[in-house]
Amino acid sequence: MNKGRVEAFTDAVLAIILTIMILEFKTPESFAISAILDQVPYLISYAIGYLFIGVAWYNHHYMFSKTRWISRNVYWANNFWMFATSFLPVATAWVGKGLNQQGPETFYFLVYMLWSMAYFILSLMLVKANEKGHRPEAAQSIRSMVIYRFMSNWKWVGLQIIASIVVLIYFPALQMVIVSLLIIFVGARFNKDSDQLFN
């Protein structure tokens, strides 16, 4: 399968998702600067969502740059990942309306878990495609990514789920803090060669 077309389609879908997210930001009726304060919860959830997609795109680009052959399994895993990502604007908008409410925060957590599962499946399919394509070094590069190692460690994933459930019961807004920390300290810890792929 043509890798360029899959990447172009993915980029287009992610661009649309980001556009939908910013369109949820409502222009205040008043011209007073204080009128923007009502939008602060949404701005917080939007900023986290934007960071989420930005980091995910970078990792996606890295994995696809390492991969030469796109199998059917990779194609469908990529579609599942985009499907999971497409729920982010709804989750972001709802959290923006109820930053410390259980309903929106639980939905965001479920979207995040679906996204994580889809991302791990995509990573795994890319590893298998590289192994089948006789590119063990590319497969190893994907396996060595911090996000891959985190998601393949059931102890860390289990700890995250338990912590999130406790937080959702007692202080739902902390769920966004957990997601932000995972994005920064797990997702954004890129492989050293990630900025040297095309040198």
Side-chain angles (χ1 to χ4, degrees), residues 153-189:
N153 186 324
W154 65 269
K155 290 178 183 176
W156 280 112
V157 172
L159 183 64
Q160 176 201 344
I161 291 170
I162 292 167
S164 294
I165 290 171
V166 171
V167 161
L168 287 169
I169 292 169
Y170 295 106
F171 193 57
L174 271 181
Q175 169 61 25
M176 299 304 285
V177 175
I178 291 172
V179 170
S180 300
L181 291 174
L182 286 169
I183 292 168
I184 294 166
F185 293 108
V186 176
R189 289 178 62 198

Side-chain angles (χ1 to χ4, degrees), residues 9 53 76 100 107 123 155 199:
F9 180 49
I53 290 178
W76 286 111
N100 197 33
F107 182 69
S123 303
K155 290 178 183 176
N199 285 347

Side-chain angles (χ1 to χ4, degrees), residues 13-192:
V13 169
L14 293 182
I16 291 166
I17 290 169
L18 286 172
T19 302
I20 292 169
M21 282 171 55
I22 193 58
L23 290 175
E24 285 293 324
F25 182 71
K26 305 302 179 192
T27 306
E29 295 296 323
S30 169
F31 293 111
I33 191 67
S34 58
I36 206 77
L37 294 177
D38 290 339
Q39 293 288 332
V40 168
Y42 183 77
L43 283 173
I44 292 169
S45 62
Y46 170 73
I48 294 168
Y50 196 97
L51 178 66
F52 190 155
I53 290 178
V55 167
W57 181 88
Y58 193 92
N59 283 311
H60 186 277
H61 175 64
Y62 176 80
M63 292 190 299
F64 269 71
S65 295
K66 288 281 185 177
T67 304
R68 285 188 186 162
W69 180 63
I70 302 298
S71 65
R72 279 193 305 267
N73 288 340
V74 169
Y75 172 74
W76 286 111
N78 193 63
N79 276 327
F80 178 44
W81 176 72
M82 287 189 296
F83 173 75
T85 307
S86 71
F87 285 99
L88 199 55
V90 178
T92 299
W94 199 15
V95 164
K97 290 178 181 175
L99 197 58
N100 197 33
Q101 301 299 316
Q102 274 189 349
E105 291 289 357
T106 300
F107 182 69
Y108 198 100
F109 169 70
L110 293 173
V111 168
Y112 180 77
M113 292 310 296
L114 178 68
W115 180 92
S116 298
M117 182 177 67
Y119 184 86
F120 180 69
I121 291 169
L122 174 60
S123 303
L124 192 60
M125 291 302 106
L126 285 164
V127 165
K128 289 183 176 181
N130 279 299
E131 287 173 341
K132 192 172 181 180
H134 306 291
R135 291 180 51 82
E137 70 288 343
Q140 184 52 40
S141 290
I142 295 169
R143 272 200 212 93
S144 69
M145 295 171 70
V146 173
I147 190 169
Y148 183 90
R149 286 185 282 132
F150 179 85
M151 289 182 172
S152 60
N153 186 324
W154 65 269
K155 290 178 183 176
W156 280 112
V157 172
L159 183 64
Q160 176 201 344
I161 291 170
I162 292 167
S164 294
I165 290 171
V166 171
V167 161
L168 287 169
I169 292 169
Y170 295 106
F171 193 57
L174 271 181
Q175 169 61 25
M176 299 304 285
V177 175
I178 291 172
V179 170
S180 300
L181 291 174
L182 286 169
I183 292 168
I184 294 166
F185 293 108
V186 176
R189 289 178 62 198
F190 309 120
N191 284 13
K192 290 181 180 178

